[in-house]
Amino acid sequence: MSLKKMFSAGMVVAVAGLALTACGSKSDSSGDGKLAEKQVLNWNEPSELPTMDPSKATDTISFDMMNNSMEGLYRIGKNSKIEPGVAKKTKVSKDGLTYTFTLREDNKWSNGDPVTAEDFVYSWQRTLDPKTGSEYAYLFDGIKNANAVMNGKKPGSSLGIKAEGKHKLVVSLDKDIPYFKLLMGFPSFYPQNKTSVEKYGSKYGTASKYMNYNGPFKMTKWTGSNLSWSLDKNENYWDKKSVKLDQINFKVNKDNSTAYNLYQSKKLDETFLSTEQAKQLSNKSDYQVLKQARTNYLEFNQTQKVFQNKKIRQAVSYAIDRDQLAKKVLGSGTKVSQGIVSSGLQTYKGQDFADEAKTKVGVTYDKKKAKQLLKEGLKETGEDKLSFTLLGDDTDVSKKVTAFIQSQLGENLGIDVRVQNVPFKTRLDRSKNQEFDVVLGSWGADFSDAISFIDLFTSDNSYNNGKWKNTEYDRLVQASKTTDAANEQKRWDDLVKASKTLSEDQGVVPLYQLNQPTMVRENVKGLVQNSAGVVNNWKDTYIAK
C-alpha cells in the first residue's frame, strides 16, 4: 500500500508520543491494565502529506491518514484480516460475481450527513472518470465495465455498482476477483461525500477543512503545505466506543537522529532507527523490526534511447552488489530482493512466491559481465559512454542508497552518475511525468497478492513510469486476471512467469526489501501494522498506564 503505496526508498514512519504518565484510573478494556489519563500520541512523519483525496492518493502517508479518518466497506485488521467497516452484512452470489452489502444505518460523516450507498457509487464513478486522472483506477479492473468507464468508452452510470435504497449496495463483477474483499478495505474504494467534493471543487483533499470524514478520527490543522496536522477522535463514528485515543499529532521530521534524540529524552513514544542505531539497540526490550511487503528498485526512463537497450539496463543491474547494500549500508534485517515481489507476501502449496520466481538474471552481482554488457550496449546505441542523473528522495536512507549506487556504478563501470535527492512529493511528480533518467522508487503491496506488484509494469499501467513494454509480460498478467478463480495453479504459474520476464528483460532493477528497525515504548498498545496494504491502523491504539 503502497507507500503511493509508492513510498520513498527507505522512507520511515515514526510513531511518536509525549512521554505519557498515567495520573488517572481509566479502565483498560483489553485487560492489559489501565489507560493513561492522557490519550495522545505525537507521530513523526518523514515527509509531507500529499493529499487526502481518495481518488488521487498514491502514497503510504496519504493512505495511512485516510485509513484512520475514513472507512470503507471493510477495515483491514491485524495480519491483514477483514474486519467490519461501513458494511454490517455481506451476501455473495454462488458464482462469486455479485456482492450485496448491507450498510450500517448509524454511520455518519463528520458534518453529520448519513453515509449512504450512494456515497460509494459516487466515489467509484469519480475515481474512474478519465477527467479525474486517478492513478489507482486500474485497481477496479474486474468490476463490471470498469475498464470501459476508465477509458471513456462507457458512462460512469454503467459501472457495476448500484445503490438500492440508502443502505444496500450491489457490486457486479465481470470475473471472480480472488482478492476482492481485501480491495474493499483499501482507501481507493472508500465512499466520498458528494456535497463536499462539489462544494470545495479543486480545493477538495488539499487541506483538512476541505474534507469530510467517516472514520475513527477526523483530520484537523492541515493546511496542505504545512508540516504538521492532527487526527482527533470522531464523535460521529459508528464504533467510537472502541476508539481510545483522543488525538494523534503529526510532525514532519526527515532526520532520524533528531527523532531518536527525542525518543531518548522521552518526548516520543516511537522512532525508526538508522543502521548504526539498530546495531547498538537491538538487545533492548523496546526494540522491534517492522516487516514490510515493499520492494525498492531502480526504474529507467525508457523514453530515452539509451535505456531502451536491454544490455545497458542489465549492465547497471549486474554492477550493483546488493549483499553489501543490504547488510552493510542498510542492515537491520534488510533483505536482498530476489525479484519485484517481496518475500513473505504470498504462498501457494507452501512455496513463497519470491522463491518460486527467483532468477539469477536481473538480480545478480557480476562485475565482469556488467562491463561486457555495457560495452556491447553502448556499441549498439552508438554511444561512447554512459552518464545519467539518479533521482531519489531527500530522506536519510534514500541518500545512503543513491550514494552507494553512484559509487558502485562509478567504480565498476566508469559511469558518471549525478545524484539528485528531492522531497518525496517532488520525486513522485517527476516520476509520473517522466522527468528523470533513472529513479530510485519503491512499492509496497496494496494487498497480499503478487499481482499488486506485477500489475505495475504492464504497458498501460499509470505507475509504469519508465514506460517499459513487453508483449509477453502483458499477456501473462492479463491471463492471470481472466483465469477462473478455481484454477489457482494456472494463475500462480502465469504470475511467476511474468515476474521472471520482468527480471530477465530488466524492466526494473530490484534492489532490496527493507525491514525497518524501530523503538516502541511498551505502554503503546493495540497498534496494528501490516506489511501489505495500509501500514498503520490506530483505531484500537491506546496508551497504557
Side-chain angles (χ1 to χ4, degrees):
M1 267 35 182
S2 278
L3 286 113
K4 64 196 184 193
K5 287 248 31 163
M6 187 174 152
F7 209 55
S8 65
M11 181 167 284
V12 296
V13 181
V15 176
L18 295 171
L20 300 172
T21 56
C23 55
S25 59
K26 290 183 179 179
S27 168
D28 175 357
S29 60
S30 69
D32 290 339
K34 294 181 179 180
L35 297 179
E37 183 67 25
K38 192 173 183 179
Q39 291 295 312
V40 177
L41 283 176
N42 290 332
W43 197 280
N44 186 62
E45 292 287 3
S47 287
E48 301 83 353
L49 171 61
T51 183
M52 283 296 289
D53 184 342
S55 294
K56 297 181 179 180
T58 62
D59 67 286
T60 300
I61 296 176
S62 296
F63 288 143
D64 266 355
M65 297 305 120
M66 292 178 194
N67 185 51
N68 291 277
S69 62
M70 303 179 200
E71 188 169 86
L73 294 166
Y74 303 129
R75 292 189 67 80
I76 306 299
K78 189 175 181 179
N79 297 322
S80 296
K81 300 297 183 182
I82 295 295
E83 293 183 350
V86 177
K88 65 179 182 179
K89 181 180 178 182
T90 305
K91 181 180 179 181
V92 186
S93 62
K94 290 183 179 180
D95 61 6
L97 299 182
T98 304
Y99 284 73
T100 302
F101 301 96
T102 301
L103 310 186
R104 302 179 187 280
E105 297 181 9
D106 57 347
N107 195 224
K108 295 181 180 180
W109 292 101
S110 52
N111 68 352
D113 289 347
V115 177
T116 68
E118 191 58 43
D119 291 328
F120 285 91
V121 176
Y122 173 75
S123 178
W124 292 19
Q125 289 180 353
R126 178 175 181 264
T127 298
L128 286 173
D129 187 336
K131 294 179 181 178
T132 302
S134 173
E135 292 184 63
Y136 258 99
Y138 75 92
L139 278 184
F140 288 74
D141 179 39
I143 296 173
K144 187 175 180 180
N145 293 328
N147 289 336
V149 174
M150 180 173 56
N151 295 323
K153 296 180 180 179
K154 287 189 176 182
S157 59
S158 68
L159 183 64
I161 179 171
K162 306 295 179 185
E164 295 186 357
K166 291 185 177 181
H167 302 110
K168 182 173 288 187
L169 184 71
V170 180
V171 177
S172 302
L173 308 181
D174 285 324
K175 57 192 177 188
D176 191 354
I177 303 175
Y179 45 86
F180 180 76
K181 286 188 176 181
L182 289 173
L183 288 179
M184 295 303 99
F186 193 69
S188 298
F189 294 85
Y190 287 0
Q192 295 182 58
N193 185 277
K194 182 178 180 180
T195 300
S196 295
V197 178
E198 294 182 344
K199 177 180 179 181
Y200 300 126
S202 62
K203 293 181 179 180
Y204 176 75
T206 64
S208 55
K209 65 181 180 180
Y210 301 133
M211 286 297 300
N212 241 318
Y213 310 96
N214 75 315
F217 303 92
K218 58 182 180 180
M219 181 171 284
T220 60
K221 304 175 185 176
W222 180 55
T223 66
S225 59
N226 62 324
L227 301 180
S228 62
W229 59 89
S230 297
L231 289 180
D232 297 346
K233 183 174 180 178
N234 184 5
E235 294 299 329
N236 280 334
Y237 181 54
W238 68 270
D239 194 26
K240 66 179 181 181
K241 67 179 184 302
S242 298
V243 181
K244 302 177 181 69
L245 288 176
D246 294 318
Q247 187 176 66
I248 311 173
N249 296 317
F250 298 85
K251 178 70 176 179
V252 175
N253 185 342
K254 299 180 181 181
D255 183 67
N256 289 343
S257 296
T258 300
Y260 180 63
N261 288 338
L262 292 172
Y263 182 85
Q264 285 184 303
S265 62
K266 297 186 178 181
K267 293 180 180 179
L268 301 181
D269 286 323
E270 191 264 18
T271 181
F272 278 65
L273 303 175
S274 68
T275 301
E276 295 75 18
Q277 292 167 339
K279 290 178 181 178
Q280 298 171 5
L281 300 167
S282 60
N283 63 340
K284 299 292 184 180
S285 61
D286 48 351
Y287 174 86
Q288 299 180 16
V289 176
L290 174 61
K291 294 184 178 180
Q292 300 181 359
R294 178 174 302 282
T295 300
N296 298 269
Y297 55 89
L298 295 180
E299 190 166 14
F300 304 96
N301 184 348
Q302 296 189 42
T303 65
Q304 298 180 14
K305 181 180 178 181
V306 68
F307 293 124
Q308 292 172 5
N309 186 277
K310 176 180 175 180
K311 291 180 180 178
I312 288 178
R313 299 195 303 268
Q314 289 182 323
V316 171
S317 181
Y318 277 115
I320 300 172
D321 187 341
R322 292 165 178 78
D323 282 326
Q324 185 178 351
L325 173 61
K327 297 175 182 178
K328 295 184 178 181
V329 177
L330 297 172
S332 308
T334 299
K335 301 178 69 173
V336 172
S337 290
Q338 300 182 88
I340 193 60
V341 179
S342 62
S343 298
L345 178 71
Q346 184 182 12
T347 59
Y348 180 62
K349 294 183 177 179
Q351 185 73 15
D352 188 288
F353 186 94
D355 294 333
E356 186 87 353
K358 181 180 179 180
T359 65
K360 290 185 178 181
V361 181
V363 293
T364 305
Y365 175 56
D366 189 329
K367 183 178 176 180
K368 182 178 179 181
K369 192 165 188 175
K371 286 184 175 180
Q372 183 62 34
L373 285 167
L374 180 63
K375 181 179 179 180
E376 294 174 4
L378 289 175
K379 183 177 180 181
E380 290 174 2
T381 58
E383 301 289 338
D384 295 327
K385 60 181 180 179
L386 178 62
S387 64
F388 61 82
T389 297
L390 174 59
L391 181 66
D393 296 313
D394 61 356
T395 60
D396 288 347
V397 174
S398 183
K399 288 178 180 179
K400 288 182 180 180
V401 175
T402 52
F404 176 80
I405 292 171
Q406 179 186 45
S407 175
Q408 288 272 287
L409 298 183
E411 293 175 6
N412 294 337
L413 293 178
I415 298 175
D416 177 20
V417 179
R418 301 171 297 279
V419 171
Q420 188 173 32
N421 295 107
V422 300
F424 176 47
K425 187 175 181 180
T426 302
R427 194 263 294 171
L428 289 181
D429 289 340
R430 292 186 183 179
S431 297
K432 178 181 177 181
N433 297 318
Q434 286 80 54
E435 296 173 357
F436 67 94
D437 297 331
V438 180
V439 62
L440 177 60
S442 176
W443 185 263
D446 296 322
F447 45 92
S448 300
D449 193 285
I451 193 68
S452 186
F453 282 100
I454 294 174
D455 209 11
L456 299 178
F457 304 104
T458 53
S459 298
D460 58 353
N461 193 287
S462 57
Y463 285 117
N464 184 1
N465 296 314
K467 302 305 177 186
W468 173 73
K469 294 183 179 181
N470 184 292
T471 303
E472 175 63 6
Y473 184 85
D474 289 347
R475 185 192 69 78
L476 289 166
V477 175
Q478 184 59 30
S480 75
K481 293 180 177 181
T482 54
T483 298
D484 188 281
N487 195 345
E488 295 180 65
Q489 185 68 59
K490 183 180 185 304
R491 181 174 183 270
W492 175 268
D493 291 343
D494 284 338
L495 289 174
V496 166
K497 290 176 184 177
S499 182
K500 289 182 176 181
T501 299
L502 180 66
S503 291
E504 292 167 356
D505 197 52
Q506 209 69 72
V508 295
V509 177
L511 295 173
Y512 62 92
Q513 181 178 346
L514 186 71
N515 290 324
Q516 181 62 56
T518 182
M519 303 292 281
V520 183
R521 295 203 188 284
E522 294 175 288
N523 66 339
V524 176
K525 306 290 186 180
L527 172 64
V528 174
Q529 294 179 307
N530 286 311
S531 61
V534 180
V535 176
N536 292 292
N537 182 345
W538 297 297
K539 177 184 174 181
D540 298 318
T541 303
Y542 63 96
I543 307 299
K545 184 175 181 180

